[in-house]
Amino acid sequence: MKKTSYKELGLVNTKAMFAKAVKGGYAIPAFNFNTMEQMQAIVQAAVETKSPVIMQVSKGARKYANPTILRYMAQGAVEYAKELGCKKPQIVLHLDHGDSFETCKSCIDSGFSSVMIDGSSLPYDENVKLTKKVVAYAHKQKDYVTVEAELGVLAGVEDEVQAEESHYTKPEEVIDFVSKTGCDSLAISIGTSHGAYKFKPEQCTRDPKTGKLIPPPLAFDVLKAIEKKLPGFPIVLHGSSSVPQDEVDTINKFGGKLPDAVGIPEEQLRKAAKSAVCKINIDSDSRLAMTAAVRQHFAEHPEHFDPRQYLTPARDNMKKMYVHKIMKVLGSNDKL
Ligand SMILES: [Zn+2]
């Protein structure tokens, strides 16, 4: 593929978007996508709510869908948003959990407007070195590409990212890290976690009435300490699906088996969105919304076999979830 700047595709980077979000006390939704239906649902929700949006692609998505196809889908997303009546869509195409300089470079060269380099599993100095290298390449482009870095380790499993235990970000490291690397935003660990099983039952309490798990609260003291060190600097939360229990119940009711799936309560995300947290990553909730709708559809229409029959309610259910997140959790509606 010939080298392309994201501006040619109609995409934007995160720079101005994050500055506005930090000032305005809201967060930009970062939704992962790897299918056409997810892409359509994300664009429909963003246009309907007049929200900026980050469409992100993980290593697993690149493997599943093919990097070239995803890049053209993002270009298609911009055109689709215009067709739906949005004159100036603000859509970011972002690489989620880039694991090497080469992956980041290939995304930047093919038209991504933002990349994450995740050196969080490396020793501190190596994380600094790798992040700095990606930042240098991203920032020297004709059109500035923004870079998200990570300090601290999140627990959980999602695509190729997995860790047994989480380690909170150390507030005493953030100034040194950000000034040495020049990154544009920082993903931190304050108790969120990847996947639909964010916490083990022994980390939670149980609601005596429903028997549902109640997860431990996020470490807002750590977030506050980081904000104090880096006033106004854009902070990112990964692993921030809420694992809506009505979707989990639907899945289980129609033959699924997701016992004790648990996420981050939406009130806590809303509280985080009002702080320097200006990007909140949501992936599992879209998977759950899709699966719940498909399972219910098959249970009610065993005679159906046309994918359009079961993917239409799946797409609608995802869109409903995205709209809900934008309006009720992140507060990014009417910010175009
Ligand atoms: Zn993540």
Side-chain angles (χ1 to χ4, degrees):
M1 192 188 289
K2 89 171 195 347
K3 194 168 165 173
T4 313
S5 158
Y6 62 89
K7 282 198 179 162
E8 294 165 40
L9 310 184
L11 298 161
V12 298
N13 69 19
T14 60
K15 199 82 189 173
M17 195 182 270
F18 282 175
K20 217 177 137 193
V22 173
K23 251 195 188 156
Y26 60 94
I28 310 291
F31 298 131
N32 288 72
F33 81 106
N34 49 61
T35 72
M36 181 187 75
E37 288 75 15
Q38 281 176 315
M39 181 272 269
Q40 291 170 316
I42 291 168
V43 174
Q44 289 168 6
V47 169
E48 191 175 301
T49 58
K50 301 185 176 65
S51 173
V53 72
I54 297 169
M55 298 182 61
Q56 55 184 23
V57 167
S58 68
K59 193 177 169 186
R62 282 163 63 87
K63 204 167 134 193
Y64 172 77
N66 173 287
T68 308
I69 290 179
L70 289 170
R71 182 280 212 186
Y72 279 102
M73 276 168 75
Q75 187 175 3
V78 174
E79 297 308 316
Y80 181 42
K82 288 182 193 161
E83 207 179 295
L84 292 177
C86 181
K87 284 198 184 78
K88 266 194 154 184
Q90 283 185 35
I91 299 177
V92 174
L93 176 60
H94 175 78
L95 170 68
D96 192 21
H97 291 287
D99 58 349
S100 67
F101 172 76
E102 288 70 29
T103 306
C104 292
K105 181 180 181 295
S106 106
C107 287
I108 292 167
D109 291 350
S110 71
F112 279 57
S113 56
S114 180
V115 293
M116 175 192 192
I117 178 68
D118 180 1
S120 63
S121 60
L122 299 171
Y124 180 82
D125 290 333
E126 284 176 46
N127 187 1
V128 169
K129 203 173 140 198
L130 176 62
T131 303
K132 211 173 151 178
K133 191 176 171 191
V134 172
V135 168
Y137 186 73
H139 289 184
K140 79 168 187 210
Q141 302 302 309
K142 177 168 65 73
D143 297 317
Y144 187 104
V145 172
T146 39
V147 179
E148 175 184 324
E150 180 165 336
L151 254 189
V153 178
L154 267 74
V157 182
E158 189 179 49
D159 290 348
E160 266 91 296
V161 183
Q162 49 179 298
E164 268 294 300
E165 260 178 90
S166 74
H167 303 280
Y168 289 163
T169 306
K170 296 183 187 128
E172 63 273 21
E173 286 180 349
V174 295
I175 295 179
D176 184 67
F177 185 84
V178 166
S179 55
K180 274 187 183 151
T181 62
C183 63
D184 300 282
S185 61
L186 185 66
I188 60 165
S189 172
I190 56 164
T192 61
S193 159
H194 289 119
Y197 294 88
K198 298 197 185 296
F199 305 100
K200 296 188 190 97
E202 55 269 29
Q203 294 173 282
C204 304
T205 48
R206 237 177 237 285
D207 185 322
K209 270 192 214 136
T210 61
K212 295 276 188 192
L213 293 177
I214 302 169
L218 298 180
F220 280 100
D221 52 330
V222 176
L223 174 59
K224 232 185 210 152
I226 293 169
E227 276 191 272
K228 226 175 164 178
K229 300 269 184 196
L230 298 172
F233 191 80
I235 300 297
V236 177
L237 284 189
H238 280 243
S240 297
S241 279
S242 303
V243 186
Q245 292 300 305
D246 52 337
E247 304 292 8
V248 173
D249 290 345
T250 303
I251 290 172
N252 290 337
K253 183 178 163 193
F254 294 108
K257 203 173 176 189
L258 298 178
D260 289 340
V262 62
I264 312 295
E266 291 188 336
E267 312 83 71
Q268 296 202 26
L269 295 173
R270 200 174 310 137
K271 188 175 161 189
K274 286 181 182 155
S275 71
V277 170
C278 63
K279 172 176 181 268
I280 293 188
N281 290 7
I282 294 167
D283 188 2
S284 297
D285 286 354
S286 152
R287 301 175 180 188
L288 291 166
M290 187 174 213
T291 302
V294 170
R295 278 200 177 276
Q296 180 167 357
H297 187 87
F298 277 138
E300 290 168 357
H301 305 277
E303 75 285 8
H304 282 177
F305 64 94
D306 180 342
R308 291 170 295 187
Q309 289 168 316
Y310 53 87
L311 290 177
T312 299
R315 187 170 59 197
D316 291 347
N317 204 35
M318 285 190 287
K319 182 199 161 190
K320 201 175 106 195
M321 186 278 292
Y322 293 136
V323 168
H324 167 79
K325 294 285 176 187
I326 289 169
M327 312 263 303
K328 304 288 179 199
V329 185
L330 310 186
S332 63
N333 50 298
D334 300 307
K335 298 296 189 300
L336 281 186

PDB file of all heavy atoms in Angstrom, residues 96-97 158 194 238-239 281, ligand 1:
ATOM      1  N   ASP A  96      -4.695  -0.107  18.787  1.00  0.00           N
ATOM      2  CA  ASP A  96      -4.808  -0.459  20.203  1.00  0.00           C
ATOM      3  C   ASP A  96      -3.681  -1.452  20.540  1.00  0.00           C
ATOM      4  O   ASP A  96      -3.498  -2.444  19.823  1.00  0.00           O
ATOM      5  CB  ASP A  96      -6.195  -1.107  20.400  1.00  0.00           C
ATOM      6  CG  ASP A  96      -6.572  -1.267  21.850  1.00  0.00           C
ATOM      7  OD1 ASP A  96      -6.006  -0.559  22.705  1.00  0.00           O
ATOM      8  OD2 ASP A  96      -7.468  -2.097  22.132  1.00  0.00           O
ATOM      9  N   HIS A  97      -2.955  -1.195  21.592  1.00  0.00           N
ATOM     10  CA  HIS A  97      -1.891  -2.105  22.047  1.00  0.00           C
ATOM     11  C   HIS A  97      -0.882  -2.480  20.961  1.00  0.00           C
ATOM     12  O   HIS A  97      -0.609  -3.670  20.743  1.00  0.00           O
ATOM     13  CB  HIS A  97      -2.477  -3.383  22.663  1.00  0.00           C
ATOM     14  CG  HIS A  97      -3.178  -3.141  23.961  1.00  0.00           C
ATOM     15  ND1 HIS A  97      -2.512  -2.861  25.131  1.00  0.00           N
ATOM     16  CD2 HIS A  97      -4.491  -3.092  24.258  1.00  0.00           C
ATOM     17  CE1 HIS A  97      -3.385  -2.660  26.100  1.00  0.00           C
ATOM     18  NE2 HIS A  97      -4.603  -2.787  25.596  1.00  0.00           N
ATOM     19  N   GLU A 158      -7.436 -10.105  26.819  1.00  0.00           N
ATOM     20  CA  GLU A 158      -8.159  -9.573  25.672  1.00  0.00           C
ATOM     21  C   GLU A 158      -7.228  -9.652  24.481  1.00  0.00           C
ATOM     22  O   GLU A 158      -6.156  -9.072  24.491  1.00  0.00           O
ATOM     23  CB  GLU A 158      -8.543  -8.116  25.945  1.00  0.00           C
ATOM     24  CG  GLU A 158      -9.489  -7.546  24.913  1.00  0.00           C
ATOM     25  CD  GLU A 158      -9.859  -6.116  25.243  1.00  0.00           C
ATOM     26  OE1 GLU A 158      -8.965  -5.316  25.507  1.00  0.00           O
ATOM     27  OE2 GLU A 158     -11.052  -5.815  25.228  1.00  0.00           O
ATOM     28  N   HIS A 194      -8.934  -6.012  31.480  1.00  0.00           N
ATOM     29  CA  HIS A 194      -9.432  -6.409  30.157  1.00  0.00           C
ATOM     30  C   HIS A 194     -10.403  -7.590  30.246  1.00  0.00           C
ATOM     31  O   HIS A 194     -10.303  -8.417  31.138  1.00  0.00           O
ATOM     32  CB  HIS A 194      -8.264  -6.796  29.248  1.00  0.00           C
ATOM     33  CG  HIS A 194      -7.417  -5.635  28.827  1.00  0.00           C
ATOM     34  ND1 HIS A 194      -6.094  -5.505  29.124  1.00  0.00           N
ATOM     35  CD2 HIS A 194      -7.742  -4.529  28.115  1.00  0.00           C
ATOM     36  CE1 HIS A 194      -5.623  -4.377  28.612  1.00  0.00           C
ATOM     37  NE2 HIS A 194      -6.597  -3.761  27.995  1.00  0.00           N
ATOM     38  N   HIS A 238      -8.080   1.845  29.933  1.00  0.00           N
ATOM     39  CA  HIS A 238      -8.344   0.616  29.179  1.00  0.00           C
ATOM     40  C   HIS A 238      -9.272  -0.275  29.995  1.00  0.00           C
ATOM     41  O   HIS A 238      -9.549   0.001  31.162  1.00  0.00           O
ATOM     42  CB  HIS A 238      -7.021  -0.134  28.934  1.00  0.00           C
ATOM     43  CG  HIS A 238      -6.242   0.418  27.798  1.00  0.00           C
ATOM     44  ND1 HIS A 238      -5.968  -0.296  26.673  1.00  0.00           N
ATOM     45  CD2 HIS A 238      -5.706   1.650  27.600  1.00  0.00           C
ATOM     46  CE1 HIS A 238      -5.280   0.456  25.837  1.00  0.00           C
ATOM     47  NE2 HIS A 238      -5.101   1.648  26.373  1.00  0.00           N
ATOM     48  N   GLY A 239      -9.745  -1.346  29.362  1.00  0.00           N
ATOM     49  CA  GLY A 239     -10.508  -2.357  30.099  1.00  0.00           C
ATOM     50  C   GLY A 239     -11.698  -1.781  30.832  1.00  0.00           C
ATOM     51  O   GLY A 239     -11.943  -2.101  31.994  1.00  0.00           O
ATOM     52  N   ASN A 281     -11.807   3.064  26.881  1.00  0.00           N
ATOM     53  CA  ASN A 281     -11.837   1.956  25.925  1.00  0.00           C
ATOM     54  C   ASN A 281     -12.942   0.957  26.264  1.00  0.00           C
ATOM     55  O   ASN A 281     -13.014   0.472  27.390  1.00  0.00           O
ATOM     56  CB  ASN A 281     -10.510   1.205  25.953  1.00  0.00           C
ATOM     57  CG  ASN A 281      -9.366   1.999  25.379  1.00  0.00           C
ATOM     58  OD1 ASN A 281      -9.517   3.183  25.069  1.00  0.00           O
ATOM     59  ND2 ASN A 281      -8.226   1.364  25.225  1.00  0.00           N
TER      60      ASN A 281
HETATM   61 ZN    ZN B   1      -6.351  -2.328  26.479  1.00  0.00          ZN
END
